[in-house]
Amino acid sequence: MHSLRVGTALTAVLTRGVDACCRGASAYGASGLPNVINNESSSSATAYHPAADGCPETLATRISDPTTSSSSLVALVEYVKRFPTQLGVPTASPQPLVGHRGLGPSSVGCRFEGVLPLWSLGAAPLMSPVSVSHVRHLGTTTNLDEAAQAAGLNKVAVSADVLSRVKDHGLLHTAGFIGGKWADVASDKSTFEVRNPATGAVIATMPRMRADETRAAIAAAHAVLPQWRLRPAKERAAVLRRWHDLIQEHKADIAAIMTLECGKPTAEALGEIASGAASVDWFAGEAVRVCGDVLEPPTRDRRMLVLKQPVGVVGAITPWNFPMSMITRKVAPALAAGCTVVLKPAELTPLTAVALAELAERAGLPDGCLNIVMGDAAAIDMFYTGHELVSSDTVRKLGFTGSTAVGRLLASGAGNTVKRISLELGGNAPVIVFEDADVELAAKGIVASALRNAGQTCICANRVFVHDKVYGKVAEAVTSLTAKLKVGDGSETGVTIGPLITPAALEKVTGHVADAVSKGAKLLFGGAKPELPQPLAGGNFFVPTVIAEATIDMRCFKEETFGPLIPLFRFQSDEEAVLLANTTEYGLAAYFYTRDLARAWRVAEELEFGMIGLNEVAITSEVAPFGGVKASGLGREQSKYGLAEFLDIKYVCMGLGYSTA
Ligand code: ADP
């Protein structure tokens, strides 16, 4: 993906490394292949002088060769990782490592800035002398790709696009995170690709983990649980606050990663980061406020207490549309409560998740408190990560955000081990504009809500019901606001509508528009893919679309579009509006616009949804309970109610052995 660029950089740094040292390991097998490839290891570290061996030249020739592939370089660094004890690494006179952390004391004498994180080296011990000995060997190997393959190493890399947009390459792990260690090769060595939805280009290759890794992650979370839960809440809060501060410090990099992998415009990515960081900060505050009760006993011979204790190991499964905030709203309260976590981020957006884990590690979160496994959702079988989390007896709570179909599967699976579960599922949110509404405010709210993240949020306005008397005005205002939006690559200034996440998502919104038009809806704006220059022509873009005269027989009434479509329905009475709004299996968020106080109360109470926005669509907040009713889910996230989901109640009855009456 970027061999030339990296090759050049690596040449420079390794040559510096060669100059800086004169000791290394004799790390070859009889065949001349490095031991990692021969699958044999030597325990002797012998003195090695690169100059005598002509090593620097060989190294420079090989690594600066533009055909040198990333897997060859993976082989090189993997070798270094696997044989740290053979390195004969100098421990005195360390030179500072620029821009890196976690390389350990054995990394003295080298400067790998901008290079090592590409291969997820994490905290692996690294140094120059061994690179020298190994690279000398690479110089004698005719086919580096074959060598890497023979070593069982997969290509694990990020694209040049990612490298150029993200400053701190230490955030770019192409790996899971288990027990404080970055795991960049899956047990069966399989991988999956992450694509930029704006161009369709592959931006990273990640290890596709399976049951082995999930079990290891659960075991790591379980092992550290006794320690973490007993840490004073104040200390847990301090770690969370440091995490929050680091997230804020790195928000530009996180936003760049997020936009690359999920397509949302930078401004929205920054908004999500602010909201995710706010959750971390808020739960840090709540950690120290967890408290039980002392009850008034019915007799004086006893005392009755209620303790609040962490539920234990938590499994978290998150979606791609909010690659950060769906994680922080689960992980932050879990850690605050004293739980430990195994996170499975969406396979479409794993890079944001690993960046967050990197920052959590830098914040001082102990190894094993937050683990990440990643893989796809091709099927539920005994190897499937979600399945492991569900069926494990050790995992005591599962937090999930995603589709209702998967939520149902998880809920039924969780029944077998009787674990707690919170589900935040589909939405199909209605907006009702009553005849007394502030039309301008309502139009702004409709567009903001329906088109946020290109319509891909579970609380996006999906069905807009407008009173007959204001229908024309609302339609005009909504269309005019929609027409002002700019479609394009989310990282470009001024772009307000990014791509849809996948070609399938694009197909769905296209299908909804075609279905509505075929049944008599009027296209007011949009309705097609935009004309965009390369490389965006390969992206999943759709022009934000407004349709009038939508009716209940259309797919856009019955299903969540999850795309940039605003269908306008008509109604004549309050009863009709509420009935239409409630005619869905979902019950997450609903919005309505009115200036009538009595109507406000009545409608708020009649709508069968977990969250109501009255004259307001920006309802999400770390202090407010987020969640739904009916097929939209169970439990609540955020707020004190969200924290309670991670705490078990224990009742203690203390017999005194005498009566104080
Ligand atoms: P979406 O349609 O928003 O992608 P999904 O429910 O398919 O929603 O995915 C949300 C999260 O659930 C992702 O992390 C995905 O990998 C995971 N997931 C998908 N299918 C399953 C499943 N059968 N079991 C467990 N997790 C799943």
Side-chain angles (χ1 to χ4, degrees), residues 364-616:
L365 188 68
D367 292 351
C369 285
L370 173 60
N371 305 274
I372 300 185
V373 290
M374 52 185 70
D376 60 43
I380 288 197
D381 59 32
M382 62 179 294
F383 302 114
Y384 187 57
T385 51
H387 181 80
E388 283 297 319
L389 288 177
V390 175
S391 60
S392 163
D393 269 317
T394 307
V395 176
R396 296 316 310 150
K397 180 195 156 77
L398 196 63
F400 171 77
T401 303
S403 62
T404 296
V406 174
R408 285 195 172 108
L409 288 172
L410 296 177
S412 57
N416 290 330
T417 50
V418 198
K419 57 170 62 70
R420 282 171 171 247
I421 184 157
S422 350
L423 304 171
E424 198 262 277
L425 310 175
N428 200 4
V431 181
I432 307 172
V433 185
F434 289 99
E435 72 267 33
D436 66 329
D438 177 333
V439 167
E440 217 173 292
L441 184 71
K444 276 190 194 146
I446 291 163
V447 174
S449 168
L451 301 181
R452 182 172 175 216
N453 198 15
Q456 304 171 106
T457 90
C458 46
I459 58 167
C460 272
N462 197 60
R463 301 168 298 149
V464 181
F465 304 107
V466 186
H467 194 279
D468 218 17
K469 283 190 187 152
V470 289
Y471 193 89
K473 276 193 205 159
V474 171
E476 199 184 316
V478 165
T479 306
S480 137
L481 288 170
T482 304
K484 290 187 185 134
L485 301 174
K486 185 174 169 199
V487 182
D489 183 335
S491 62
E492 277 172 34
T493 315
V495 165
T496 42
I497 303 280
L500 292 165
I501 188 73
T502 55
L506 181 60
E507 212 172 285
K508 188 172 188 192
V509 64
T510 312
H512 276 203
V513 174
D515 169 76
V517 171
S518 76
K519 290 174 179 158
K522 209 169 124 200
L523 195 60
L524 298 184
F525 188 81
K529 256 181 89 71
E531 295 287 323
L532 291 171
Q534 285 295 358
L536 303 183
N540 311 314
F541 294 96
F542 196 78
V543 177
T545 299
V546 186
I547 56 175
E549 312 307 342
T551 50
I552 60 169
D553 55 334
M554 295 174 183
R555 285 179 66 193
C556 60
F557 179 83
K558 296 180 247 182
E559 302 167 26
E560 258 189 313
T561 304
F562 236 64
L565 172 62
I566 308 180
L568 303 173
F569 300 78
R570 278 180 198 272
F571 73 86
Q572 258 100 29
S573 69
D574 287 23
E575 293 67 29
E576 185 190 0
V578 172
L579 180 64
L580 283 169
N582 285 341
T583 304
T584 171
E585 64 169 327
Y586 297 109
L588 191 58
Y591 313 90
F592 67 99
Y593 285 83
T594 182
R595 288 187 267 216
D596 180 322
L597 191 56
R599 174 184 276 144
W601 272 109
R602 193 182 63 251
V603 173
E605 285 171 4
E606 286 174 358
L607 286 171
E608 296 161 358
F609 293 82
M611 296 174 285
I612 305 290
L614 167 57
N615 299 325
E616 181 57 78

Side-chain angles (χ1 to χ4, degrees), residues 162-194:
V162 179
L163 294 176
S164 63
R165 293 194 208 178
V166 177
K167 283 206 183 82
D168 183 345
H169 290 175
L171 301 177
L172 297 174
H173 295 279
T174 48
F177 190 53
I178 299 174
K181 295 199 168 50
W182 293 101
D184 57 5
V185 182
S187 54
D188 67 355
K189 307 202 171 49
S190 63
T191 58
F192 66 95
E193 290 174 336
V194 184

